Amino acid sequence: MKKEIASILLFLLCFLPVVAQSAERDPQSIGDLIVLGLEVNLGLQIEKINIPQRTETIEIEKALFDSELFAATGYDYLSTPFDSSYSSSSESHLENYSAQLGVSKRLTTGLTASLFLDTKRVSDNDYYNNLDPSYRTTLMVDLNQPLLRNLGTSINTTNIEISRNQLRQESLTYLLQAQSLILQLESVARQLAAKTQIIQLRQEAYDLANELYLANKKRFAAGSIPVSEVQEAETSLAGRQLSLSLAIQNRDILQEDLNRQLNHKLSKEFKPATLVDFNLNIKPTEFPDFKKLFESAQQKRLELKINDYSIQSSVLQKNYLHNQLKPQLDLNLQLGLNGFSGHERTSALASQYSGNWMDSLSSMGDADGYQVRAGLEFSMPIGNRSAKSRYRQAELQLKKEHYQQKDLESLIESELLQQQINVSHATEQLKITEHFEALAKKTFKQEQRRLEEGLSDTFRMILFQQAMIEAKIDRIDSITQYYMALAKMEFATGNIFERHNIVLSKNAEELNLENI
């Protein structure tokens, strides 16, 4: 189990040296752009901060078992009136200076141990006491061990283990956001490159319409065509100018969206056309059978791993709350050494404890006095309703986490089926648009020759021009949709990092992008 957890815990994203140049020049490919995005995207950097924050939570939980130094000091004065035939005094007084210094520690087994030195200086007018002032010093060991509730390392370190699981979840959530960012950047980059190509096609369509319009003006001036054909060509020219303007608008909006994701690192000279080559020969992609595809996705999808840690944490919490159903039964042990010394009231009686405060320490070291205590403390709320309700909540939470895991698996299965459909139809549509473009080019050239021979008219020529341009645009769109279908399939199977040659290496402490 530990090996399995270690293999999926935390990762360090490592990229090619091209990253060092990403800040110096605009990205030349989608890979360059993704690396830059992983480095500068603010949303990803915000998510990254959650990791060290969660690490500090672990330290907070561990700190509950740190040693604690404590000290106290005080002064008391008590005056009480009394009447005695043996003394001329009408009141008794007691003056007490006290101090305490010690150290305590709570162990993961539940044991609380304290070692402290307690000392007092007492002065009174009670002549039955031969020493005044007197010093009492005690060295005490105090042990308290739960025997039922809060017994055991696994129970007392529950919050630490839950915090570690939460750290793993934060790290995986960071990776998941990185995956989502990669998919988003690829999508925007491909759309932006496509819009740039479409602008060129819209410009080509405008130029063709303009050539036709100028040619028709000459033909009209020569008296070979009616004015209506000039008007048709001019109307087509205006329509294509509008389409060109809209295409430029769409490209500029997409480019600003991309620049926002890259924290405005793109320069004004950035050329989106370099990101994608639309002249590649595309070979259909083959995927393994669905069963293997789904099994692979179950192993790699980060959402499942994140929820799996939620299940583990719920099991830990359930076990802890089950322990809290038990009565509180604590064993308390005390062992102390007592020392005593003081100044003699008169020289008539010599005391073996005569001396100063240091002598009380010597007396303690000689074990002149000692104290031992052993006891049991028991408590149990009648009905114990609070603990029972918390335990039932933990059971329901665990059940909820299992349902969420099944729902995630069902969602992933559905996503894979949908992406298989998308890839299949995108491949089919790509072939259709390629055939459509070839036919549109051929018929346009044929109609152009007919126009030159006087066998066609402006209306038909505009139709064939528009059909050819739209066929080219459809092919660009289909190429974009085909590659995006592949990207979404890789995301659905958990392979989006591999798609862009991003290396994942294990790191048991943290996730960072510092070394890219």
Side-chain angles (χ1 to χ4, degrees), residues 396-442:
L396 293 172
Q397 181 63 31
L398 181 58
K399 187 176 182 180
K400 178 180 176 181
E401 301 289 355
H402 281 297
Y403 277 132
Q404 288 178 339
Q405 192 81 348
K406 291 181 180 179
D407 185 53
L408 280 172
E409 290 176 352
S410 175
L411 177 63
I412 290 170
E413 184 178 10
S414 178
E415 285 181 2
L416 288 173
L417 289 170
Q418 291 176 10
Q419 296 313 320
Q420 274 192 331
I421 294 171
N422 283 340
V423 171
S424 175
H425 284 282
T427 304
E428 177 186 3
Q429 290 159 12
L430 180 58
K431 293 179 180 179
I432 292 172
T433 55
E434 287 176 346
H435 184 57
F436 178 38
E437 181 186 18
L439 291 176
K441 285 181 180 179
K442 183 178 180 180

Side-chain angles (χ1 to χ4, degrees), residues 190-212:
R190 290 192 178 278
Q191 291 181 61
L192 182 58
K195 293 298 182 184
T196 303
Q197 292 290 321
I198 289 172
I199 288 173
Q200 295 178 6
L201 292 173
R202 293 297 184 192
Q203 183 64 54
E204 180 183 338
Y206 175 82
D207 292 340
L208 288 172
N210 190 46
E211 288 177 7
L212 182 61

Side-chain angles (χ1 to χ4, degrees), residues 50-95:
N50 291 335
I51 299 170
Q53 278 187 324
R54 185 60 64 182
T55 302
E56 295 304 322
T57 302
I58 296 176
E59 292 303 311
I60 292 171
E61 297 297 339
K62 286 182 177 180
L64 294 176
F65 302 100
D66 288 350
S67 298
E68 181 178 358
L69 181 68
F70 60 90
T73 185
Y75 169 77
D76 297 293
Y77 182 82
L78 178 65
S79 177
T80 305
F82 76 98
D83 185 18
S84 173
S85 59
Y86 297 100
S87 173
S88 60
S89 177
S90 62
E91 66 177 18
S92 68
H93 65 81
L94 175 68
E95 189 176 44

Side-chain angles (χ1 to χ4, degrees), residues 21 44 68 86 104 119 147 162 194 346 399 456 498 503:
Q21 303 173 358
L44 193 59
E68 181 178 358
Y86 297 100
S104 66
T119 185
L147 300 179
I162 289 176
T346 67
K399 187 176 182 180
S456 182
E498 291 84 348
V503 179

Side-chain angles (χ1 to χ4, degrees), residues 130-135 341-345 353-357:
N130 293 330
L131 303 180
D132 183 54
S134 62
Y135 302 93
S341 68
H343 298 284
E344 296 174 350
R345 289 183 183 272
Y353 297 110
S354 175
N356 55 25
W357 178 76

Side-chain angles (χ1 to χ4, degrees), residues 158-396:
T158 295
N159 287 339
I160 294 176
E161 293 304 317
I162 289 176
S163 295
R164 284 173 176 162
N165 284 339
Q166 290 172 339
L167 172 61
R168 293 160 184 150
Q169 287 179 306
E170 292 291 357
S171 302
L172 292 172
T173 300
Y174 170 59
L175 276 181
L176 181 59
Q177 183 157 332
Q179 288 184 337
S180 299
L181 178 63
I182 289 171
L183 183 63
Q184 183 179 2
L185 289 175
E186 181 175 357
S187 175
V188 176
R190 290 192 178 278
Q191 291 181 61
L192 182 58
K195 293 298 182 184
T196 303
Q197 292 290 321
I198 289 172
I199 288 173
Q200 295 178 6
L201 292 173
R202 293 297 184 192
Q203 183 64 54
E204 180 183 338
Y206 175 82
D207 292 340
L208 288 172
N210 190 46
E211 288 177 7
L212 182 61
Y213 170 65
L214 295 176
N216 279 2
K217 285 180 68 176
K218 291 180 180 179
R219 293 191 187 98
F220 173 73
S224 59
I225 61 172
V227 69
S228 59
E229 294 204 24
V230 177
Q231 293 172 341
E232 285 178 4
E234 188 175 8
T235 301
S236 175
L237 181 63
R240 294 182 187 184
Q241 187 177 16
L242 176 61
S243 297
L244 175 61
S245 177
L246 291 172
I248 294 172
Q249 178 186 0
N250 290 336
R251 181 207 55 193
D252 291 346
I253 290 174
L254 273 174
Q255 186 160 331
E256 180 53 36
D257 183 25
L258 178 62
N259 205 15
R260 165 68 178 85
Q261 295 295 331
L262 300 177
N263 196 19
H264 301 283
K265 296 298 182 182
L266 298 177
S267 70
K268 294 181 179 180
E269 292 75 27
F270 173 62
K271 299 185 184 305
T274 63
L275 298 175
V276 178
D277 186 356
F278 288 94
N279 297 317
L280 293 175
N281 292 324
I282 300 174
K283 297 180 180 179
T285 303
E286 295 183 2
F287 294 98
D289 66 87
F290 184 79
K291 182 179 180 181
K292 292 182 179 179
L293 203 64
F294 182 49
E295 289 175 353
S296 176
Q298 285 179 304
Q299 295 297 320
K300 292 188 174 184
R301 283 292 290 266
L302 299 180
E303 298 95 326
L304 290 175
K305 296 178 182 179
I306 291 169
N307 196 71
D308 186 58
Y309 283 122
S310 293
I311 292 175
Q312 292 182 33
S313 295
S314 293
V315 170
L316 290 170
Q317 186 70 9
K318 177 175 171 287
N319 293 339
Y320 171 78
L321 292 173
H322 184 266
N323 174 266
Q324 300 304 296
L325 295 174
K326 298 178 180 180
Q328 185 77 40
L329 180 63
D330 294 351
L331 172 64
N332 183 256
L333 299 174
Q334 286 185 341
L335 176 63
L337 298 175
N338 299 325
F340 181 63
S341 68
H343 298 284
E344 296 174 350
R345 289 183 183 272
T346 67
S347 60
L349 296 174
S351 172
Q352 62 175 328
Y353 297 110
S354 175
N356 55 25
W357 178 76
M358 291 298 295
D359 293 314
S360 71
L361 291 177
S362 299
S363 174
M364 180 190 68
D366 294 336
D368 288 340
Y370 63 91
Q371 62 187 68
V372 177
R373 179 184 181 276
L376 291 173
E377 296 182 9
F378 176 86
S379 67
M380 178 70 175
I382 298 176
N384 206 15
R385 290 190 301 164
S386 176
K388 290 178 180 177
S389 293
R390 289 192 178 96
Y391 180 69
R392 285 193 295 268
Q393 282 183 328
E395 286 184 314
L396 293 172

